Amino acid sequence: MPIPSGAREGAVALSERYAGVVLDIDGVLVRGAEPIPGSAGAVERLIAAGVGIAFATNNAARTPEQVAAALRAAGVPATAEFVVTSAMAAAGMLTPGTRCLIIGMEGLRQALDRRGCVEIRAPGDAEAVVVGLDTDLRWDDLRRATLALAAGARFLGTNGDVTFPGPDGLWPGNGAVLAALTAATGRSPELAGKPHAPLLLAAADRLPPPEGGQRLLMVGDRHETDIVGAAALGWDTALVLSGVATAEDERVWTPPPTYVAPTLAALLRRLTQDSRV
Ligand SMILES: [Mg+2]
């Protein structure tokens, strides 16, 4: 069999290796609202090559429609049906009809509503306490959640990230709020977001099922969430250095990523070159 020489042949071989790619968003495709150079074109080439694409974010504040619109504004071809947030993954862990005491923003409220869960405010009525980032958090929210948890409600967190990057330094993330509730109750939350499986499995549900030796590939910029979570599911992993992780961190990367690349665009160049050999 001749060795394919063109980019198109390389791309076809790539789709034989990977049924789909799950892309983390911040640090891979964008930094805040700024596009990461080459990433939009790389996504277009993956789609043209017939590789399934899903976008997975631990950010629970926004709806998938808002996330997809922000990606399109950055030039990335994205539609809401291929976006999975940790809020959606958390909602998927609940039975429709569950009465939920919610700490969170529009992304979490919409996900729970679409799941058929019912928002309640009285702690005594709660079957579950579901906690996502809420930048308008008040002490009364923590009070009601604490009472519900003490009464035995299920405890779910969208994600456990204790910080996230703000323009002037690290800001407290959902994990910091969960830690406050753990301190008050002695209870530990079930978590939906990376590195836990629910978000990654929900993203995989948007992809064609692997067949004939195909695998799934996770691309992310945080080793402790993106890479650790996907490796635990047996997926291939690619750590890109366009976000949080830097090459100086390499000695602490356990398990080691399948690939390390400066950017998504550089990763795709390497994958398509490998595929021609
Ligand atoms: Mg990221």
Side-chain angles (χ1 to χ4, degrees), residues 117-138:
C117 295
V118 181
E119 177 169 11
I120 52 87
R121 289 187 58 83
D125 293 340
E127 296 174 294
V129 173
V130 191
V131 182
L133 186 72
D134 182 352
T135 54
D136 291 321
L137 181 72
R138 301 185 53 194

Side-chain angles (χ1 to χ4, degrees), residues 60-234:
R62 294 189 294 176
T63 67
E65 289 78 12
Q66 290 168 336
V67 173
L71 284 172
R72 287 196 298 274
V76 179
T79 55
E81 68 180 305
F82 295 105
V83 173
V84 188
T85 70
S86 65
M88 297 160 69
M93 295 165 74
L94 292 166
T95 310
T98 301
R99 295 190 302 276
C100 297
L101 196 156
I102 303 171
I103 293 177
M105 301 171 75
E106 186 180 359
L108 182 58
R109 286 208 157 69
Q110 183 206 66
L112 290 166
D113 183 58
R114 287 183 175 174
R115 180 68 180 163
C117 295
V118 181
E119 177 169 11
I120 52 87
R121 289 187 58 83
D125 293 340
E127 296 174 294
V129 173
V130 191
V131 182
L133 186 72
D134 182 352
T135 54
D136 291 321
L137 181 72
R138 301 185 53 194
W139 180 84
D140 186 62
D141 299 316
L142 298 175
R143 178 188 70 84
R144 289 181 296 106
T146 297
L147 291 170
L149 292 172
R154 194 172 164 190
F155 187 12
L156 257 63
T158 56
N159 64 302
D161 305 76
V162 291
T163 59
F164 65 98
D168 50 358
L170 292 177
W171 289 1
N174 195 46
V177 177
L178 292 169
L181 291 171
T182 293
T185 64
R187 303 269 313 270
S188 295
E190 303 167 63
L191 294 167
K194 301 170 285 185
H196 302 275
L199 173 61
L200 293 170
L201 294 176
D205 278 346
R206 267 83 176 163
L207 299 172
E211 49 187 41
Q214 284 179 321
R215 300 176 61 79
L216 296 177
L217 175 66
M218 173 76 208
V219 183
D221 70 309
R222 269 188 195 261
H223 183 274
E224 68 272 24
T225 54
D226 300 315
I227 305 306
V228 168
L233 295 173

